[in-house]
Amino acid sequence: MLTQEERPVLETPGEDPAPERKRPAFHLNRQGRAAHVFLIPWQLGFLLITAIPLFASLYLAFTDYDILNPPEWVGLENFQRMVQDEQFWAAVKVTLVYVLVSVPLQLGFALLLALILDRGLSGLAFYRSAFYLPSLLGTSVAIAILWREIFGDGGLINRGLALIGIDGESWLQNPSTALATLIVLNVWTFGSPMVIFLAGLRQIPDELYEAARVDGAGVIRQFTNVTVPLLTPIIFFNLILQTIGAFQTFTQAHIISGGTGGPANSTLFYTLYVYQQGFVAFDMGYASALAWVLMVAIAAITALHFLVSKYWVFYGDS
Amino acid sequence: MTGLDRRGFLKLALGTTAAGLSAAAVAGCGGSGGGAGSGGSGKTTLRYAWWGNNIRQQNYTKALQQFSAANSEIGIEPEFAEYTAFQERMTTQIAARDVPDIFWIASPQVMTYHKNKLYRKLDDIPTLSWADYSQQDLDTFKLGGELNTLPFGIFVPVIRYNETVAKADGVTFPAEGSGWTWDSLAELLVAYSKDNPGKRKGAAYLPDHDLTFEAWLRQRGEQLWTEDGKVGFTVEGVASWIDWWEKLRKAGATLSLSEQEGMGPDWALVGKKTLVAFGNSNHIIDDAKMFPKERFRLRAMPIDASAVDGHKYLYFPRMAIYQRVDDDKLEAAGKLLNYNVNTAEMLKTVRLTMGAPVNPKVAEASKEFASQDEKEMLAVVEKDRAAQRKPRYEAPPGSSTWRTTMARVCEEIALGRTTVPDGAKKLVEEITAGIKRAE
């Protein structure tokens, strides 16, 4: 596409160019106006559902607000309270461990499955749908029941262990293993990144593999020197999405711990703590401050990802 | 091409959008429910909000329909939710000033709503009768000296045991009286857990149960909350309670957290693994239905010889009329409250899941249609109601999460992550801090 500077200027021979009419700073032609008319529903939705609540929440973060009474300005008090709040730090720890462990595991598993499915299996559509199914179920109430049946005191795993003489305890009620069960749940819902990986793998030209084979590259070498480099934009995309999603994990922890974050805070995810403060303690000011800290943290980590991406993400045109 | 040019199309689009927005705005101004209030037909519509399980939802919906059928000038818009969701919805409704005309009050919110002047006074509504209540009853019902909420049930703390299993296993409970103490109960639970054919445990691990904890405190001269809205118990008081439970747990007389799948266990799960349950008197009605082949009995809480006078108490679930209710709805609202508490008709449909009737005449009348379990509950409440009782105070603003905090602390103690004294201290500090923030 030509830029504004590159466009040829059409002039009528023999005539002086017409004096340029000064346009107002904000000028829209008819098409522009039409576009804006059509955008009104979206703009209204954005304003009412996103922008206004967002800025209202920013204001509330600096107030003491219990919903029943008008907000009272308290300055930075809510943020200072976080520093002393043991529950806050417990929630930060749980969430960071979850993000750092579950995201790489989930992406690795999704990539592995995508590579297997990319090998021209018959019935690919079935497998793709079947593997995607857990992603749809991952945040449903049925999962709480399923997980109890698997990881509970008398669950599938303990019954299996009992066969070899091991008397296991509930994995969900042990603070050392409860978070691990949620990480397993997240890894199990690998369908979404898997589908994206699969689409990315399909974009890699066969000629590159042929060339690699001619040069004597084996399967592993082809994977590390062809697949991975060409898949880095997709890996990056999935990494960003899954990292943000992991920071915002709520439903699974809420369902499986009954909203408590137990046992002993071991599944107290950050968003669960925000919910507890906002909708159980009705401390909306503090909950808003917590939510803004999370948003800033996610923005900073995403920015860091982008910053580092130039060292490991390879785009076709670079 | 049709006759619609681009200008025409844009005008049409703009017009449609404007019309849609206007309609939405008008709808927004209309409040929820459409027909709420007195309509042109002269019918008054009341919004009635309550919580519970699906059985209670069905029963109350049916009872409210029966009320409407008998009072054709009054329509009811039911607003039901599960307990936690109910509280969340109430809070947002309060923020939007869109509160139901009549609503049940969750126990942690009683004084919070009172502080925020959500309740309309009830002693000037001609259709709501107070004639059956004694002056002592009315004084007990008041909040801050005002008769602005209506207790509609009575719970008392109880020990519930599985009589069928007890008989089969040869367990004899000490008779109520001087032999029915906390120590004798603990001994029984430990001995039973060590040797019974079904490998049951004495009880589930429930140190976070509020009513039984309050009974323990009051016997020791402490209370849950003070009249001026502070924590009414000491670190030593709560520590002694948790310690009693810890001794049971360590002796193998309670289920482990693993066996009961965490704090606040599901009765369907622990009912088949235990002999005794610590709970509210009204729970027998729904809980016993889960084990229809077994008979459950209720006992008053054990009492030590050192228990102070007046330790017995009654817990009232309450309902209220919204402060901003239209004056022309008051008469209908009074009728509906009357139907809730001053007649036995509604109870025949909704049963006694919300406790023994507060109205003494209704309580007496309900014995005629009460089931075996309901009679058991009525009897135990009647005894405590007749006993001498010191005043009891509701949870102050800022304490709404105290039970969650207590469950967390007890869990940490049971998991060996903190000691009983440290946990008790932490519990009192956290609850105190919450109340202070709300002041």
Side-chain angles (χ1 to χ4, degrees):
Chain A
M1 182 180 283
L2 296 175
T3 62
Q4 192 66 44
E5 288 75 25
E6 291 166 336
R7 274 187 193 140
V9 179
L10 299 175
E11 290 178 13
T12 311
E15 281 185 19
D16 291 335
E20 204 172 294
R21 274 166 55 188
K22 200 172 180 183
R23 289 183 169 179
F26 184 73
H27 173 78
L28 290 173
N29 59 20
R30 279 198 305 183
Q31 279 188 326
R33 284 196 297 272
H36 277 271
V37 168
F38 284 112
L39 281 172
I40 284 174
W42 179 85
Q43 284 168 338
L44 277 175
F46 175 73
L47 271 176
L48 295 174
I49 299 170
T50 306
I52 293 175
L54 191 75
F55 288 109
S57 159
L58 180 60
Y59 165 69
L60 292 176
F62 296 94
T63 67
D64 178 11
Y65 180 46
D66 65 0
I67 297 185
L68 302 170
N69 295 291
E72 193 180 312
W73 185 264
V74 292
L76 293 171
E77 202 176 282
N78 287 328
F79 296 93
Q80 288 163 346
R81 186 175 147 195
M82 281 177 216
V83 181
Q84 309 290 333
D85 184 353
E86 283 179 29
Q87 294 285 96
F88 166 79
W89 290 112
V92 168
K93 186 182 161 194
V94 167
T95 309
L96 282 178
V97 169
Y98 179 78
V99 171
L100 290 173
V101 177
S102 81
V103 172
L105 277 179
Q106 190 201 39
L107 291 184
F109 198 63
L111 180 57
L112 181 69
L113 261 295
L115 286 166
I116 293 169
L117 291 180
D118 191 43
R119 299 179 75 86
L121 284 179
S122 58
L124 178 64
F126 168 76
Y127 286 115
R128 210 162 39 197
S129 305
F131 289 145
Y132 193 77
L133 204 58
S135 296
L136 301 175
L137 295 172
T139 54
S140 69
V141 176
I143 288 304
I145 299 163
L146 178 65
W147 244 233
R148 184 169 288 183
E149 289 301 315
I150 296 172
F151 293 105
D153 186 52
L156 202 63
I157 291 183
N158 282 348
R159 271 183 262 166
L161 289 173
L163 293 176
I164 53 170
I166 298 172
D167 187 17
E169 291 204 329
S170 171
W171 296 67
L172 300 170
Q173 297 309 323
N174 183 339
S176 309
T177 54
L179 184 60
T181 65
L182 289 175
I183 290 172
V184 171
L185 175 57
N186 190 48
V187 174
W188 184 56
T189 56
F190 60 86
S192 173
M194 182 202 72
V195 168
I196 298 170
F197 277 136
L198 202 52
L201 288 170
R202 293 290 167 93
Q203 298 302 313
I204 300 175
D206 282 342
E207 299 82 55
L208 294 178
Y209 288 108
E210 282 170 21
R213 276 196 293 271
V214 168
D215 289 344
V219 175
I220 294 175
R221 199 70 190 267
Q222 285 175 44
F223 176 72
T224 54
N225 286 17
V226 179
T227 309
V228 171
L230 290 175
L231 209 58
T232 50
I234 305 293
I235 296 172
F236 179 57
F237 177 76
N238 270 334
L239 180 66
I240 294 281
L241 283 192
Q242 297 308 320
T243 303
I244 292 172
F247 269 109
Q248 295 175 334
T249 297
F250 171 79
T251 316
Q252 298 94 317
H254 186 263
I255 291 171
I256 288 170
S257 77
T260 64
N265 287 338
S266 59
T267 60
L268 183 65
F269 281 79
Y270 195 93
T271 48
L272 189 57
Y273 188 51
V274 174
Y275 165 81
Q276 286 180 352
Q277 289 301 314
F279 291 95
V280 181
F282 302 123
D283 199 346
M284 283 291 173
Y286 190 49
S288 296
L290 288 167
W292 270 90
V293 167
L294 177 64
M295 200 186 100
V296 169
I298 290 175
I301 288 165
T302 307
L304 190 69
H305 275 314
F306 272 97
L307 211 65
V308 176
S309 71
K310 63 183 173 192
Y311 299 110
W312 67 275
V313 179
F314 305 102
Y315 294 99
D317 56 352
S318 61
Chain B
M1 281 292 285
T2 65
L4 190 66
D5 61 8
R6 188 161 63 174
R7 182 183 294 268
F9 177 71
L10 286 175
K11 278 181 179 172
L12 181 66
L14 192 60
T16 310
T17 307
L21 288 173
S22 306
V26 171
C29 294
S32 69
S38 297
S41 62
K43 187 168 182 170
T44 302
T45 303
L46 295 170
R47 292 166 60 198
Y48 183 98
W50 79 104
W51 69 76
N53 56 20
N54 61 333
I55 296 169
R56 189 180 289 163
Q57 179 188 20
Q58 288 162 11
N59 288 345
Y60 271 80
T61 304
K62 190 176 169 190
L64 294 171
Q65 284 166 350
Q66 287 166 345
F67 173 80
S68 276
N71 299 272
S72 55
E73 76 285 6
I74 303 172
I76 312 283
E77 280 184 8
E79 292 187 14
F80 173 84
E82 177 274 331
Y83 183 69
T84 309
F86 175 87
Q87 290 184 66
E88 289 173 10
R89 192 181 62 192
M90 272 296 293
T91 307
T92 48
Q93 285 176 326
I94 292 164
R97 295 187 174 179
D98 185 34
V99 179
D101 302 308
I102 297 171
F103 56 92
W104 290 14
I105 311 159
S107 62
Q109 312 299 345
V110 173
M111 295 310 290
T112 305
Y113 292 175
H114 175 64
K115 184 185 167 194
N116 289 283
K117 299 182 172 51
L118 244 67
Y119 310 138
R120 194 204 178 280
K121 62 177 181 171
L122 300 176
D123 49 4
D124 63 344
I125 302 173
T127 46
L128 176 59
S129 169
W130 298 96
D132 295 339
Y133 301 93
S134 67
Q135 190 55 48
Q136 188 198 355
D137 280 341
L138 295 177
D139 289 341
T140 316
F141 299 167
K142 287 177 181 174
L143 297 176
E146 288 179 59
L147 195 57
N148 53 10
T149 60
L150 179 65
F152 62 99
I154 303 173
F155 309 159
V156 295
V158 290
I159 300 294
R160 186 177 73 227
Y161 65 96
N162 188 325
E163 189 184 51
T164 312
V165 171
K167 276 184 181 169
D169 293 350
V171 178
T172 309
F173 281 80
E176 280 193 36
S178 59
W180 182 235
T181 63
W182 291 96
D183 286 344
S184 69
L185 173 61
E187 280 169 25
L188 184 146
L189 296 176
V190 172
Y192 177 76
S193 305
K194 278 183 181 160
D195 182 24
N196 72 82
K199 293 187 177 173
R200 288 180 179 240
K201 291 291 175 70
Y205 184 70
L206 275 180
D208 59 325
H209 184 260
D210 53 350
L211 261 68
T212 47
F213 170 49
E214 190 168 358
W216 174 276
L217 291 173
R218 288 173 69 96
Q219 288 188 23
R220 278 149 189 79
E222 298 190 8
Q223 51 192 335
L224 205 48
W225 314 109
T226 61
E227 188 175 7
D228 59 348
K230 301 279 191 297
V231 176
F233 52 91
T234 60
V235 171
E236 291 72 29
V238 65
S240 66
W241 168 249
I242 300 174
D243 202 42
W244 186 83
W245 277 99
E246 276 297 284
K247 282 177 183 160
L248 278 184
R249 188 184 64 80
K250 287 174 181 168
T254 69
L255 295 173
S256 67
L257 291 181
S258 173
E259 287 168 325
Q260 65 181 38
E261 296 292 356
M263 299 295 292
D266 184 2
W267 168 247
L269 176 74
V270 300
K272 58 191 173 196
K273 294 181 178 176
T274 54
L275 176 70
V276 159
F278 289 66
N280 300 359
S281 50
N282 60 314
H283 289 170
I284 188 173
I285 296 160
D286 284 337
D287 287 356
K289 283 179 189 157
M290 292 190 197
F291 301 94
K293 290 180 183 169
E294 292 163 15
R295 172 91 201 271
F296 291 87
R297 305 298 301 268
L298 298 182
R299 276 293 181 92
M301 297 306 291
I303 302 167
D304 284 335
S306 58
V308 300
D309 291 339
H311 63 83
K312 294 267 188 185
Y313 75 97
L314 309 178
Y315 173 80
F316 302 113
R318 297 166 186 261
M319 67 172 81
I321 296 179
Y322 182 40
Q323 173 69 270
R324 293 167 179 265
V325 71
D326 293 341
D327 284 345
D328 56 0
K329 285 184 176 181
L330 268 182
E331 197 174 313
K335 270 189 187 176
L336 183 51
L337 291 191
N338 226 37
Y339 174 66
N340 269 251
V341 296
N342 291 332
T343 74
E345 286 312 301
M346 185 170 182
L347 295 177
K348 287 177 185 169
T349 304
V350 301
R351 311 305 301 179
L352 302 179
T353 60
M354 285 309 286
V358 181
N359 184 317
K361 287 184 179 169
V362 176
E364 200 56 38
S366 63
K367 288 177 185 170
E368 287 177 22
F369 59 83
S371 66
Q372 190 181 52
D373 294 328
E374 288 171 338
K375 281 180 182 157
E376 186 79 12
M377 183 267 294
L378 287 169
V380 75
V381 171
E382 196 171 309
K383 269 189 196 170
D384 281 9
R385 192 171 189 178
Q388 181 206 349
R389 288 173 275 120
K390 278 187 181 173
R392 174 188 185 274
Y393 305 103
E394 295 285 350
S399 64
S400 62
T401 55
W402 82 271
R403 284 197 65 191
T404 316
T405 310
M406 186 158 182
R408 175 165 44 82
V409 167
C410 292
E411 188 177 53
E412 284 172 1
I413 291 169
L415 291 167
R417 300 198 157 202
T418 187
T419 61
V420 172
D422 287 350
K425 186 167 172 278
K426 188 175 165 185
L427 175 64
V428 173
E429 282 174 358
E430 280 195 34
I431 299 172
T432 306
I435 294 170
K436 204 174 169 189
R437 272 199 298 274
E439 282 172 352

